[in-house]
Amino acid sequence: QGTRDHPPAHVALRDRLLAAVVTCFKRHGAAAIDTPVLELRETLTGKYGEDTKLIYELQDQGGELLALRYDLTVPFARYLAMNKITNMKRYHVAKVYRRDNPATTRGRYREFYQCDFDIAGQFDPMIPDAECLKIVHEILSDLQLGDFIIKVNDRRILNGVFAVCGVPESKFITTCSTVDKLDKMPWEEVRSEMVGEKGLSPEAADHIGEYVQLHGGLDLIEQLLQDPKLSQNKLAKEGLGDMKLLFEYLTLFGITGKISFDLSLARGLDYYTGVIFEAVLLQPENDHVEEPVSVGSVAGGGRYDGLVGMFDPKGRKVPCVGVSIGIERIFSILEQRVEASGEKVRTTETQVLVATPQKHLLAARLKLISELWDAGIKAEMLYKKDPKLLKQLQYCEDTGIPLAAIIGEQELTDGVVKLRDVATREEVRM
Amino acid sequence: QGTRDHPPAHVALRDRLLAAVVTCFKRHGAAAIDTPVLELRETLTGKYGEDTKLIYELQDQGGELLALRYDLTVPFARYLAMNKITNMKRYHVAKVYRRDNPATTRGRYREFYQCDFDIAGQFDPMIPDAECLKIVHEILSDLQLGDFIIKVNDRRILNGVFAVCGVPESKFITTCSTVDKLDKMPWEEVRSEMVGEKGLSPEAADHIGEYVQLHGGLDLIEQLLQDPKLSQNKLAKEGLGDMKLLFEYLTLFGITGKISFDLSLARGLDYYTGVIFEAVLLQPENDHVEEPVSVGSVAGGGRYDGLVGMFDPKGRKVPCVGVSIGIERIFSILEQRVEASGEKVRTTETQVLVATPQKHLLAARLKLISELWDAGIKAEMLYKKDPKLLKQLQYCEDTGIPLAAIIGEQELTDGVVKLRDVATREEVRM
């Protein structure tokens, strides 16, 4: 349940998509690592907050207690700590596992690919963070998914807001996950969850509401830096200062047009410590469809400066910032687009079919195809002793093979091959 | 235990290796499929004989009982049956899982890649089977792993041998797995296992011994076709007839020089029904090393005509033949070779580092690198506001970046960039 087989047409399209993402990661100088799909259970527990219950655990068959990885970020942090690496730019494209309620029409599965790019190391503020946003911008532009916006916020600003609104520090994380629901619920419902379930005072909730409904650009940052309360809060001031720097760098990258500083963005995971961001498509691709399939966020990430330290025996921290591309959701969109266009995705790359027009010529076919393979040419033949020529040409048309190399008795005698263009039926002896 | 992280140098080398294998599979017209790493437990049980105990099972967390795939063949057979596909040439490159005793120095892990190519469908005899052997020959030749031999046998011939030696049919499978040990034990030990553990008569064992120690080529096939006992056995006669046809096709492919018809080859898995084969390297790559690391078989496969029918509610059979390339063992050899040669594998593809020779030029670097990225050029910069030029050039040398694009105050004024060849130190203003 919640997993699926991928037939050739899927894999061909997915490989194209993954290639585009990996090309971008390599363009930014990242190296690839790979980690096992199995992790020690203790590595994963305590990293995902409420979502820990979604981890797939392996049966205790003697030996270590194992689980399937839930994302690629925690394994990366473990990898850095285990190998005492303090400085690395890496990408990782692999499948992760979540015992979630699948919503397969929206591209949400229990087994799905993640494509992660992360920069680990102690650097000058916001330079790697800005590069992560540039990467999201490049990938979403390259894939021509339609208009999009990248929402940006900072956990320090959110925590500063909570503090000045009178929320006790012990309730920061839980308040954060309530704020995170603002993209799916109206403010009134979020407010009542804060007051009801989370036990905030109505005044605190209202006060939070004034902040988290704000979004804008550099002007909003300036405004909040002047905010009488927020400007008194150390964390918020730090976050806002860095946000200003980030916008400066993004201006140099020429991408602020797609960036929105959005105080409602909170992100679910516990481990973020600074900048957070999430890209959403602004309008559905198929706007002629009555009920457009909502695909939600297509990329997200942020800064997590404390995670590596959780795996280091001495708690040594390695600051990290990274981005994860939501390849499955993007795949759903591209798949719909291909279906709508009627484009036939070729699932093989065969260049030529070796064919014979008469009987008793299998040996000639085997000899010729062997020569072609040895010359690096992608070639197929039918696995029949005496197939009909029509069947062979039909196979070319069905599978998109552009050429047929035909050898009959005459060609054998003359020592030539007849090369036929399947589409035009033009033939050349060679 | 038995799994490992793959650092960038590993992944770079492995990707090269996988690309070579996939190129060959595509050259033979295969399409790619992908299946989940999770299978229903019931799909895997009863397919692997004694090795069923090595399957990783997931904890029962409510819902279906799941296990990690043990190979790619059983999921392929399930895929064909579920989708009622009777005809397909596919490849699949993915990781599989075995709760085996790891032997990591010999490249044996609990999580490892398999690279499978299979042809499903009802075709004329031995044409797809011959292509599988051609593929093994091409890949091992392409990778220049040194001399190799591909052992070939047929389950029908083995069963015929057992029958004429007086083994009851109920003991064919268990006798088969004892014969399979002949590549690791001398005949005397295999014989005593047959008589002791497996309960064959000493006469039957001796008689089997006369057959399974034979190996050769077309002449041996002819000899056995004349064998007074074997020629009376229907199964053996069929197998020998097909083996002769196979050699005919392999002669046309020009690869019989590396093929050995070897009656000791049995293969462990239950599901084989016809031709079986296994490729072994003839001598270790590093023959100057005192204790050469033995890597065992590097490819194997065979025909399994009954497996798909096990997944079809009406038991409809789809004949299949396929090959699996032992990529991890090959990787171990290539890794040793790279280490021995001292070759430094580049783990990134960065073409140019954007550098500045003075302070306060971060904005200029960010602007230039953004232009390069947008032009599709692989570019990096240091994540420092004011890095020293020497540090920047050092980074190029450490990571193999061939070019540095330098912009200083003078270049900014002149509207040019200084492009420096890191190795020759040659510079051009452009």
Side-chain angles (χ1 to χ4, degrees):
Chain A
Q1 207 203 341
T3 67
R4 56 176 170 172
D5 291 321
H6 299 274
H10 259 217
V11 177
L13 184 62
R14 194 183 67 193
D15 282 355
R16 235 196 264 171
L17 181 54
L18 292 179
V21 172
V22 167
T23 297
C24 176
F25 292 165
K26 286 184 176 174
R27 191 159 61 228
H28 287 261
I33 69 160
D34 191 18
T35 64
V37 78
L38 307 166
E39 291 280 348
L40 292 176
R41 276 187 211 171
E42 62 191 61
T43 300
L44 304 189
T45 42
K47 310 298 183 306
Y48 303 109
E50 294 173 11
D51 288 347
T52 298
K53 63 179 185 298
L54 303 182
I55 294 171
Y56 270 109
E57 297 185 348
L58 266 75
Q59 197 165 56
D60 183 355
Q61 293 173 295
E64 301 149 316
L65 293 180
L66 303 171
L68 299 185
R69 65 179 161 216
Y70 181 87
D71 67 8
L72 302 176
T73 311
V74 167
F76 176 53
R78 175 193 57 71
Y79 175 84
L80 292 175
M82 267 179 71
N83 295 287
K84 300 195 189 342
I85 297 168
T86 55
N87 190 330
M88 181 175 212
K89 182 156 56 178
R90 85 89 178 76
Y91 73 89
H92 192 182
V93 173
K95 285 179 184 168
V96 301
Y97 299 86
R98 298 185 184 180
R99 244 166 28 79
D100 210 342
N101 285 326
T104 52
T105 48
R106 290 189 288 130
R108 215 165 110 162
Y109 289 87
R110 288 180 160 187
E111 171 182 66
F112 58 97
Y113 262 105
Q114 280 198 338
C115 302
D116 281 23
F117 171 100
D118 293 82
I119 300 170
Q122 185 66 58
F123 302 114
D124 280 324
M126 309 316 280
I127 310 179
D129 313 60
E131 183 166 357
C132 289
L133 292 167
K134 177 77 170 87
I135 282 174
V136 174
H137 192 278
E138 281 177 29
I139 289 174
L140 297 184
S141 305
D142 283 356
L143 294 174
Q144 300 179 295
L145 297 171
D147 205 8
F148 61 89
I149 197 99
I150 310 174
K151 297 179 192 173
V152 185
N153 197 3
D154 192 301
R155 277 283 170 91
R156 291 168 297 174
I157 299 175
L158 271 179
N159 287 342
V161 165
F162 299 154
V164 305
C165 296
V167 178
E169 208 178 317
S170 61
K171 290 192 175 169
F172 280 8
I173 287 183
T174 184
T175 309
C176 207
S177 45
T178 304
V179 169
D180 195 44
K181 297 178 182 166
L182 263 177
D183 60 341
K184 286 169 207 117
M185 300 181 185
W187 165 247
E188 279 316 310
E189 282 178 45
V190 170
R191 182 187 179 283
S192 78
E193 181 174 314
M194 280 183 182
V195 177
E197 283 175 49
K198 304 296 168 84
L200 302 197
S201 71
E203 298 72 34
D206 288 335
H207 201 169
I208 292 172
E210 285 165 31
Y211 283 109
V212 296
Q213 292 180 83
L214 298 172
H215 54 93
L218 204 49
D219 45 344
L220 177 60
I221 301 170
E222 296 289 3
Q223 179 195 317
L224 292 177
L225 274 168
Q226 305 306 322
D227 183 280
K229 283 184 183 162
L230 223 45
S231 60
Q232 298 307 308
N233 180 281
K234 192 171 161 286
L235 268 182
K237 224 175 126 188
E238 247 181 61
L240 286 165
D242 277 350
M243 189 60 71
K244 194 175 159 185
L245 197 58
L246 180 67
F247 266 76
E248 209 176 277
Y249 296 161
L250 298 179
T251 304
L252 291 163
F253 286 161
I255 62 171
T256 43
K258 304 276 190 204
I259 308 280
S260 166
F261 171 41
D262 188 327
L263 277 98
S264 74
L265 180 72
R267 305 269 308 152
L269 296 168
D270 286 2
Y271 51 62
Y272 290 117
T273 55
V275 165
I276 45 178
F277 52 88
E278 200 166 288
V280 290
L281 299 185
L282 275 189
Q283 50 196 27
E285 170 58 21
N286 293 322
D287 44 9
H288 57 277
V289 177
E290 280 294 315
E291 291 268 349
V293 173
S294 160
V295 295
S297 106
V298 290
R303 177 163 284 283
Y304 50 102
D305 289 348
L307 192 59
V308 178
M310 293 173 77
F311 295 108
D312 185 277
K314 292 187 181 157
R316 274 168 298 213
K317 288 187 176 183
V318 178
C320 293
V321 63
V323 53
S324 186
I325 307 294
I327 212 71
E328 304 285 346
R329 292 177 177 188
I330 296 173
F331 177 84
S332 299
I333 298 168
L334 292 181
E335 199 185 13
Q336 280 176 33
R337 188 187 294 180
V338 168
E339 270 170 27
S341 76
E343 183 200 340
K344 211 186 158 193
V345 178
R346 264 199 87 182
T347 57
T348 61
E349 299 176 8
T350 310
Q351 297 164 295
V352 57
L353 185 85
V354 174
T356 39
Q358 294 105 8
K359 288 194 173 182
H360 311 302
L361 289 168
L362 175 60
R365 264 190 295 149
L366 289 171
K367 239 180 134 164
L368 177 58
I369 201 167
S370 177
E371 279 181 54
L372 293 174
W373 287 330
D374 292 342
I377 291 167
K378 294 168 193 150
E380 284 185 76
M381 54 175 267
L382 297 197
Y383 301 121
K384 292 230 143 215
K385 257 175 18 197
D386 298 312
K388 296 218 168 73
L389 185 59
L390 247 166
K391 284 237 164 160
Q392 296 173 81
L393 295 175
Q394 188 59 49
Y395 182 80
C396 291
E397 289 185 8
D398 291 347
T399 61
I401 300 174
L403 297 170
I406 302 169
I407 25 168
E409 280 151 18
Q410 191 59 50
E411 285 77 19
L412 267 183
T413 311
D414 300 350
V416 298
V417 169
K418 198 160 67 183
L419 199 64
R420 178 185 173 111
D421 184 309
V422 176
T424 66
R425 301 180 183 189
E426 213 174 305
E427 292 182 343
V428 200
R429 282 161 60 92
M430 54 194 295
Chain B
Q1 206 203 342
T3 68
R4 57 177 168 171
D5 291 321
H6 299 274
H10 260 217
V11 177
L13 184 62
R14 193 184 67 192
D15 282 355
R16 237 196 260 172
L17 182 54
L18 291 179
V21 172
V22 168
T23 297
C24 177
F25 291 165
K26 286 185 176 173
R27 192 159 60 227
H28 287 261
I33 69 159
D34 191 18
T35 64
V37 80
L38 307 166
E39 291 280 349
L40 293 176
R41 277 187 210 170
E42 63 192 58
T43 299
L44 304 189
T45 42
K47 310 298 184 306
Y48 302 108
E50 293 173 11
D51 288 347
T52 298
K53 65 180 183 296
L54 303 182
I55 294 171
Y56 270 109
E57 297 185 346
L58 266 76
Q59 197 164 55
D60 184 356
Q61 293 174 295
E64 300 147 318
L65 292 179
L66 303 171
L68 299 185
R69 64 179 162 218
Y70 181 86
D71 67 7
L72 302 176
T73 311
V74 167
F76 176 53
R78 175 193 58 71
Y79 175 83
L80 292 176
M82 267 178 71
N83 296 286
K84 301 197 189 340
I85 297 167
T86 56
N87 189 331
M88 180 175 212
K89 182 158 54 179
R90 83 91 178 75
Y91 74 89
H92 192 182
V93 172
K95 286 179 184 169
V96 301
Y97 299 86
R98 297 184 184 181
R99 246 167 26 80
D100 210 341
N101 285 326
T104 52
T105 48
R106 290 189 290 130
R108 216 167 109 163
Y109 290 87
R110 289 180 161 187
E111 171 184 65
F112 58 97
Y113 262 105
Q114 279 198 339
C115 301
D116 280 23
F117 172 99
D118 293 82
I119 300 170
Q122 184 66 59
F123 302 114
D124 280 323
M126 308 317 281
I127 310 179
D129 313 61
E131 183 165 357
C132 289
L133 292 167
K134 177 77 170 85
I135 282 174
V136 174
H137 192 278
E138 282 178 28
I139 289 174
L140 297 184
S141 304
D142 284 356
L143 294 174
Q144 299 178 295
L145 297 171
D147 205 8
F148 61 88
I149 196 99
I150 309 173
K151 298 179 192 172
V152 185
N153 198 3
D154 192 299
R155 277 282 170 93
R156 291 168 298 173
I157 299 175
L158 272 179
N159 287 342
V161 165
F162 299 155
V164 304
C165 296
V167 178
E169 210 179 315
S170 61
K171 290 193 175 170
F172 280 8
I173 287 182
T174 184
T175 309
C176 206
S177 46
T178 304
V179 169
D180 195 43
K181 296 178 182 166
L182 263 176
D183 59 343
K184 285 168 207 117
M185 298 181 185
W187 164 247
E188 279 315 310
E189 283 178 44
V190 170
R191 182 188 180 281
S192 78
E193 182 175 314
M194 281 183 183
V195 178
E197 284 175 47
K198 305 295 168 85
L200 302 197
S201 71
E203 297 72 35
D206 288 336
H207 202 168
I208 292 172
E210 285 166 30
Y211 285 109
V212 297
Q213 293 180 82
L214 297 171
H215 53 92
L218 205 48
D219 45 345
L220 178 59
I221 302 170
E222 296 288 4
Q223 179 195 318
L224 292 176
L225 275 169
Q226 305 305 323
D227 183 281
K229 283 181 183 163
L230 223 45
S231 60
Q232 299 307 309
N233 180 281
K234 192 173 162 282
L235 268 182
K237 225 176 122 187
E238 247 181 60
L240 286 165
D242 277 351
M243 189 59 71
K244 196 176 158 185
L245 197 58
L246 179 67
F247 265 76
E248 209 175 280
Y249 297 160
L250 298 180
T251 305
L252 291 163
F253 286 162
I255 61 170
T256 42
K258 304 275 190 205
I259 309 281
S260 167
F261 171 42
D262 188 326
L263 277 97
S264 74
L265 179 72
R267 306 267 309 151
L269 296 168
D270 286 2
Y271 53 61
Y272 291 117
T273 55
V275 165
I276 46 178
F277 52 86
E278 201 167 288
V280 289
L281 299 185
L282 276 189
Q283 51 195 25
E285 170 57 20
N286 294 323
D287 44 9
H288 57 277
V289 177
E290 280 293 316
E291 290 267 349
V293 173
S294 159
V295 295
S297 106
V298 289
R303 177 163 284 283
Y304 50 102
D305 288 349
L307 193 59
V308 178
M310 292 174 76
F311 296 108
D312 186 276
K314 293 187 181 157
R316 275 169 298 214
K317 288 187 176 183
V318 177
C320 293
V321 63
V323 52
S324 186
I325 308 295
I327 212 72
E328 304 285 346
R329 291 176 177 187
I330 296 173
F331 178 83
S332 299
I333 297 167
L334 292 182
E335 198 185 13
Q336 280 176 34
R337 188 187 294 180
V338 167
E339 270 171 25
S341 75
E343 183 201 340
K344 213 187 156 195
V345 178
R346 264 199 86 183
T347 57
T348 61
E349 299 177 7
T350 310
Q351 298 163 295
V352 58
L353 185 85
V354 175
T356 39
Q358 294 106 10
K359 288 192 171 183
H360 311 301
L361 289 169
L362 175 59
R365 264 191 296 148
L366 289 172
K367 239 181 134 164
L368 177 58
I369 201 166
S370 176
E371 278 180 54
L372 294 174
W373 286 331
D374 291 343
I377 290 166
K378 294 168 192 151
E380 284 185 75
M381 54 173 269
L382 297 197
Y383 300 121
K384 293 228 141 216
K385 256 175 17 197
D386 298 310
K388 295 218 169 71
L389 185 60
L390 247 166
K391 283 236 164 163
Q392 296 172 82
L393 295 175
Q394 189 60 48
Y395 182 79
C396 291
E397 288 185 9
D398 291 347
T399 61
I401 301 176
L403 296 170
I406 302 170
I407 24 168
E409 281 151 16
Q410 190 59 50
E411 285 77 20
L412 267 184
T413 311
D414 300 350
V416 298
V417 168
K418 199 160 67 182
L419 199 63
R420 178 184 170 111
D421 184 310
V422 175
T424 66
R425 300 178 185 193
E426 212 175 307
E427 292 182 342
V428 200
R429 282 160 62 93
M430 53 194 294

